[in-house]
C-alpha cells in the first residue's frame, strides 16, 4: 500500500541490473511512493541487464555512467537535475564488483591491479558520487544518500575475498562524508548491511546457497528479502528518518546479533 512517502522527491538510483536487483526493487517502490528519478549503470552492465525495461515501467530516463569516472558522474548529476527539474533528494549507491572473485583468484593469490579495481568500483566510487554531488551543489537540504554493504566488512567469510575490504572502505566513507555533508547541507549518509540476497551478483559467489541457508537458520526473523530492503531504503529516503546519519544499519533479520540458534544446534547435533 502506497503512502506517498516520497511525493515530490527526486533522485538517482545506481545499479539496477535486472528484476533480481535490490536497486530494481527500490526503483519500483520509490515510484510507488511518489518519487521520480533517473536510472544509471555502467555501460557494460547496461548491455548485460534489462534497465530499459525498468525505465519504461517507471517513466524514468536512463543516463549511462561509470561510477569510477568523475567525468561520467558530473554528466550524470548535471543531466539528472535538468531532467528531473530540480536538485536531488536521494541517491542509492548499489554497486559492487570484484575482478578477483569473478576470475576465481584465491585470496592468497590476488591480482593487485584487480584488487585496486575492486576498491575503486565497490568503495571509492561512493566518495566520487558524493564529491560530485557536493561540487555541483546537486543535493537539497535534508537529502538522503544510501549505499548497500555487507557484514563481511566486520567479519570474515570464505570466498568474499577483496570485496570485504571494499565494503569496509565504503562504510568508512559513509561516516566521514556523512559528517561533512551533514554540516554542509543537512544531507544524511547511511549504509545498509543487507542479508545474503539472491541477486544476480550475490548468487555468483561460490558457496552462496549454503551460506544463504546458514544465515536463514541464524536469523530469528529469517533473511531479509530484496523487497524488504527496498522498503527500508524508502524509509531512509523519507522525512521520517531525518536525524539518522553516519550509520551502518543492519538489515538482516537479527543475524548480526545472534550467537547460535536452536535451528543450527539441531542441524549440527550428531
Amino acid at each position: 500500500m502506497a503512502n506517498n512517502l516520497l511525493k515530490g522527491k527526486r533522485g538517482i538510483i545506481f545499479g539496477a541490473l535486472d528484476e533480481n536487483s535490490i536497486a530494481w526493487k527500490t526503483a519500483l517502490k520509490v515510484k510507488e511512493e511518489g518519487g521520480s528519478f533517473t536510472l544509471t549503470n555502467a555501460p557494460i552492465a547496461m548491455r548485460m541487464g534489462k534497465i530499459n525495461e525498468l525505465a519504461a515501467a517507471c517513466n524514468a530516463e536512463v543516463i549511462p555512467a561509470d561510477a569510477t569516472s568523475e567525468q561520467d558522474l558530473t554528466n550524470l548529476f548535471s543531466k539528472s537535475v535538468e531532467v528531473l527539474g530540480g536538485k536531488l533528494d536521494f541517491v542509492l549507491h548499489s554497486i559492487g564488483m570484484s575482478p578477483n572473485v569473478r576470475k576465481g583468484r584465491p585470496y592468497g593469490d590476488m591480482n593487485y591491479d584487480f584488487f585496486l579495481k575492486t576498491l575503486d568500483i565497490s568503495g571509492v566510487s561512493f566518495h566520487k558520487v558524493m564529491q560530485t554531488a557536493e561540487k555541483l551543489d546537486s543535493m537539497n537540504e535534508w537529502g538522503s544518500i544510501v549505499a548497500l554493504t555487507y557484514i563481511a566488512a566486520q567479519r570474515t567469510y570464505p570466498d568474499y575475498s577483496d570485496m570485504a575490504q571494499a565494503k569496509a572502505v565504503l562504510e568508512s566513507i559513509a561516516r566521514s562524508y556523512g559528517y561533512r555533508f551533514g554540516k554542509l547541507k543537512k544531507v544524511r549518509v547511511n549504509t545498509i548491511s543487507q542479508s545474503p540476497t539472491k541477486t544476480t551478483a550475490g548468487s555468483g559467489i561460490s558457496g552462496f546457497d549454503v551460506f544463504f541457508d546458514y544465515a536463514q537458520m541464524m536469523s530469528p526473523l529469517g533473511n531479509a528479502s530484496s523487497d524488504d530492503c527496498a522498503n527500508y531504503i524508502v524509509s531512509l529516503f523519507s522525512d521520517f528518518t531525518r536525524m539518522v546519519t553516519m550509520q551502518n544499519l543492519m538489515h538482516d533479520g537479527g543475524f548480526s546479533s545472534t550467537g547460535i540458534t536452536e535451528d543450527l544446534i539441531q542441524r549440527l547435533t550428531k
Side-chain angles (χ1 to χ4, degrees):
M1 182 178 68
N3 297 286
N4 284 322
L5 292 179
L6 303 181
K7 185 177 181 180
K9 293 190 183 294
R10 300 177 286 259
I12 299 174
I13 295 177
F14 286 79
L17 182 66
D18 56 33
E19 60 273 10
N20 297 314
S21 305
I22 291 173
W24 184 292
K25 301 291 181 70
T26 301
L28 293 174
K29 190 66 180 176
V30 168
K31 180 67 174 177
E32 182 183 334
E33 291 295 340
S36 58
F37 50 87
T38 58
L39 294 165
T40 187
N41 215 330
I44 186 170
M46 290 177 61
R47 290 195 295 272
M48 294 167 55
K50 305 175 181 178
I51 195 170
N52 290 322
E53 292 180 21
L54 178 63
C58 296
N59 192 29
E61 185 163 331
V62 179
I63 304 173
D66 177 349
T68 67
S69 165
E70 294 173 71
Q71 181 177 349
D72 281 11
L73 289 173
T74 297
N75 178 66
L76 169 65
F77 275 87
S78 299
K79 282 195 173 180
S80 294
V81 169
E82 179 184 342
V83 166
L84 297 171
K87 293 183 183 181
L88 309 176
D89 303 288
F90 61 85
V91 175
L92 175 64
H93 179 284
S94 182
I95 302 168
M97 195 278 285
S98 164
N100 278 305
V101 171
R102 284 201 172 180
K103 295 180 181 297
R105 297 293 294 261
Y107 194 69
D109 186 31
M110 281 203 301
N111 178 304
Y112 289 117
D113 288 332
F114 290 170
F115 185 22
L116 292 175
K117 194 71 174 172
T118 300
L119 293 175
D120 196 18
I121 294 170
S122 309
V124 178
S125 67
F126 193 39
H127 190 284
K128 292 179 180 179
V129 164
M130 290 188 284
Q131 180 170 281
T132 302
E134 179 192 335
K135 286 184 174 181
L136 295 176
D137 192 23
S138 298
M139 297 296 297
N140 279 320
E141 287 197 352
W142 297 106
S144 177
I145 299 174
V146 174
L148 294 176
T149 186
Y150 186 54
I151 198 173
Q154 292 86 33
R155 303 182 190 175
T156 298
Y157 293 92
D159 301 317
Y160 204 68
S161 191
D162 55 354
M163 278 296 295
Q165 280 74 65
K167 293 300 189 185
V169 168
L170 180 88
E171 292 175 19
S172 179
I173 288 169
R175 289 186 291 271
S176 297
Y177 226 117
Y179 177 81
R180 178 178 178 82
F181 237 152
K183 296 291 285 185
L184 285 171
K185 298 262 318 190
K186 304 297 184 186
V187 172
R188 55 207 194 268
V189 181
N190 296 289
T191 54
I192 295 176
S193 187
Q194 168 70 0
S195 296
T197 308
K198 292 184 177 179
T199 62
T200 300
S203 299
I205 297 172
S206 175
F208 176 83
D209 289 341
V210 172
F211 182 61
F212 182 90
D213 293 341
Y214 167 75
Q216 181 76 13
M217 286 188 290
M218 283 287 288
S219 307
L221 298 181
N223 290 327
S225 69
S226 54
D227 286 305
D228 289 325
C229 191
N231 287 332
Y232 196 31
I233 292 166
V234 164
S235 76
L236 289 172
F237 287 166
S238 79
D239 291 334
F240 287 109
T241 51
R242 280 163 62 107
M243 301 306 290
V244 180
T245 194
M246 301 165 62
Q247 302 300 307
N248 181 42
L249 301 161
M250 311 307 293
H251 188 252
D252 60 7
F255 175 87
S256 53
S257 295
T258 305
I260 196 167
T261 64
E262 288 96 343
D263 289 345
L264 193 59
I265 290 171
Q266 291 175 9
R267 177 69 66 90
L268 297 176
T269 298
K270 296 179 180 180

